[in-house]
């Protein structure tokens, strides 16, 4: 109210990319469970693009945090959401590799 600070447009974009990414990954996981573990290649492409959006959102979030005289709400939200998406996708990749190894070795 009594300040010249404003919200960063870059920070808002980071938060938007984080929301898009997390919704895309959660939707892909839900649809994969609905298909009994089968994954349509389109869902894989959506998850890949969500990862690219998350990496871009991380970069934008860091850039927005480096700005002076700005509010940091949106950059913080973007950094948190994009980090969650990157961790989720890393975990999905790990689970996929473990599943392939189990099938290959008959475990």
């Amino acid at each position: 109210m009594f300040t010249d600070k404003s919200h960063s447009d870059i920070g808002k974009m980071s938060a938007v990319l984080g929301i898009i990414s997390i919704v895309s990954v959660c939707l892909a996981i839900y649809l994969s469970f609905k298909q009994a573990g089968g994954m349509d290649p389109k869902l894989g492409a959506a998850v890949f693009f969500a990862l690219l959006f998350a990496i871009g959102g991380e970069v934008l979030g860091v850039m927005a945090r480096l700005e002076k005289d700005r509010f940091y709400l949106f950059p913080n939200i973007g950094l948190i959401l994009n980090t969650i998406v990157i961790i989720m996708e890393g975990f999905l990749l790990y689970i996929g590799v473990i599943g392939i190894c189990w099938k290959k070795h008959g475990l």
Side-chain angles (χ1 to χ4, degrees), residues 13-14 19 24 26 28 37 48 52 72 84-85 88 90 98 102 105:
M13 193 62 200
S14 173
I19 291 168
S24 297
C26 289
F48 176 72
L52 294 179
Y72 298 125
I84 290 170
V85 169
M88 284 174 62
I98 293 298
W102 280 5
H105 297 294

Side-chain angles (χ1 to χ4, degrees), residues 10-21 57 60-61 73-79 81-82:
I10 297 173
K12 291 176 186 175
M13 193 62 200
S14 173
V16 167
L17 286 174
I19 291 168
I20 290 170
S21 297
L60 291 176
L73 174 68
F74 290 112
N76 289 341
I77 291 172
L79 285 170
L81 291 176
N82 289 313

Side-chain angles (χ1 to χ4, degrees), residues 24-103:
S24 297
V25 171
C26 289
L27 188 61
I29 291 171
Y30 170 75
L31 292 174
S32 178
F33 274 116
K34 195 172 179 180
Q35 295 175 0
M39 183 111 172
D40 186 22
K42 293 176 187 174
L43 294 176
V47 170
F48 176 72
F49 281 112
L51 177 64
L52 294 179
F53 283 175
I55 292 170
E58 284 282 326
V59 171
L60 291 176
V62 169
M63 288 172 51
R65 284 287 295 161
L66 294 176
E67 291 181 358
K68 301 291 182 198
D69 295 328
R70 296 289 187 156
F71 291 119
Y72 298 125
L73 174 68
F74 290 112
N76 289 341
I77 291 172
L79 285 170
I80 291 168
L81 291 176
N82 289 313
T83 301
I84 290 170
V85 169
I86 292 171
I87 291 170
M88 284 174 62
E89 292 197 20
F91 186 68
L92 286 174
L93 183 62
Y94 174 74
I95 289 174
V97 169
I98 293 298
I100 291 171
C101 290
W102 280 5
K103 275 188 175 180

